[in-house]
Amino acid sequence: MSSPADDPIAIVGASGALGFGLAVRLAGAGVPIAIGSRDAARAQETAERAQAIVPGGSFAAHDNAGAVRAADTVILSVPFRNQSETLANLKDALEPGQLLIDATVPLAAAVSGKATRMLGVWQGSAAQQALEMAPKGVRVVSALHTVSAASLSDPDHPLDQDVLLCGDSREDKRAAALLIERIAGLRCVDCGKLEMARITESLTAMLIAVNARYKAHAGIRLAGLPDILWE
């Protein structure tokens, strides 16, 4: 199941680098964006900044709960230190049947550690923590951990990267893929159950180290896959 093309997508944490890049790219592909922030004034500022980059895009500013209530699909793009608090604050806004695409990475930088190190999450991964904290019936898919935020936020920067999806429902992953692949140059790959997110999340730390070494914005591309990945 996928959202109709004219339905808005909520991005919680759209004022951050990854969330903003996703807002710009998806709006450029014709997706209406409900921008969420803890501060409604900051959401408005973010919407205006995005509008300047994508003049024809559709952006609406909300606090986080308002953004979630405005959409059937929600992208959660917040630092790990804010994930638990954000989901707790959204427990009355998220509803069964909504698709929650979690892009959280438990980097040690969340507790003043190195960005190339990971924190242990007792549920197994940030995505599994999201599933545990979200209301029952919210469909959780893990994605977008290896896509460069800097590349996303520059619409003129060509993308040629894979997005690694993890989730317990093939149909939920397909719905996430149909949305994400509206961004030119992104291809979604089914990487298995949600428990595999512990591996895909950790690839962020590796890419941070690689990109720092080569002063690049490299992503991941898997070779040898069939031409059609989603029915």
Side-chain angles (χ1 to χ4, degrees), residues 86-231:
T86 299
L87 287 171
N89 291 337
L90 292 175
K91 65 180 180 180
D92 293 327
L94 287 164
E95 296 183 353
Q98 279 183 300
L99 178 63
L100 178 64
I101 301 173
D102 183 68
T104 311
V105 181
L107 294 173
V111 291
S112 301
K114 291 186 176 181
T116 53
R117 292 180 182 171
M118 299 290 291
L119 296 174
V121 183
W122 77 268
Q123 291 91 339
S125 65
Q128 288 168 292
Q129 177 171 275
L131 178 64
E132 182 177 278
M133 294 196 66
K136 186 176 181 180
V138 172
R139 304 174 295 146
V140 177
V141 171
S142 172
L144 297 162
H145 304 102
T146 61
V147 180
S148 165
S151 298
L152 277 174
S153 58
D154 178 5
D156 295 326
H157 189 287
L159 299 173
D160 183 21
Q161 301 181 26
D162 285 339
V163 177
L164 310 180
L165 302 185
C166 302
D168 294 333
S169 164
R170 171 75 174 180
E171 189 63 20
D172 293 347
K173 286 180 283 189
R174 180 178 178 274
L178 287 174
L179 170 65
I180 294 168
E181 288 186 349
R182 293 190 66 171
I183 300 176
L186 295 186
R187 180 183 67 167
C188 291
V189 178
D190 187 344
C191 293
K193 297 286 190 179
L194 196 66
E195 65 183 11
M196 295 299 291
R198 71 187 188 278
I199 297 174
T200 57
E201 289 173 5
S202 67
L203 292 175
T204 301
M206 180 195 72
L207 282 172
I208 288 172
V210 169
N211 286 324
R213 179 176 297 275
Y214 292 103
K215 296 180 174 57
H217 300 299
I220 285 179
R221 187 74 172 176
L222 301 178
L225 291 176
D227 293 335
I228 299 176
L229 299 183
W230 304 92
E231 300 83 5

